[in-house]
Amino acid sequence: DVDVIDDGVGSAMKAVAVLVTTSGAAMAGMAYVCVRKIGDQADAVVMVFYYGVLSLPLTAIGSKLLLGTWNVLGDIRHFS
C-alpha cells in the first residue's frame, strides 16, 4: 500500500509543469543544434554572449508571468 501525499497542486498546474519541462528540454536541444550548426563560424565568446542576451529576458518574462502561482521552493513547513 502506497501513501500518496496530497500536495494541493491541481492537475492543471501539473500539466503546466510537464509542458514547461518538455519545452525546456526542446529548447535545450535547439540550442545544441544551433551551436553545432554555427561551429567554427563564430567565436565561443559570441555564442555565450548571445545565450545570455536571449535567456535573461526570457527568464525574466517567464518569472514575472508565473510569479505567485508557481511555488518553486515548495512549502517551507515541510522542511521543519
Side-chain angles (χ1 to χ4, degrees):
D1 188 27
V2 177
D3 292 332
V4 178
I5 297 174
D6 183 17
D7 56 1
V9 178
S11 60
M13 203 59 170
K14 289 179 182 179
V16 170
V18 170
L19 180 66
V20 167
T21 305
T22 306
S23 62
M27 288 186 187
M30 287 189 290
Y32 178 77
V33 169
C34 288
V35 169
R36 295 282 301 201
K37 184 94 170 152
I38 292 171
D40 295 330
Q41 297 173 0
D43 192 27
V45 175
V46 173
M47 289 188 265
V48 170
F49 173 75
Y50 280 120
Y51 174 77
V53 167
L54 292 174
S55 64
L56 186 63
L58 289 174
T59 303
I61 292 168
S63 297
K64 187 66 176 169
L65 290 175
L66 298 173
L67 187 63
T69 59
W70 198 292
N71 193 0
V72 175
L73 296 177
D75 189 4
I76 194 70
R77 291 175 287 185
H78 289 157
F79 297 109
S80 57

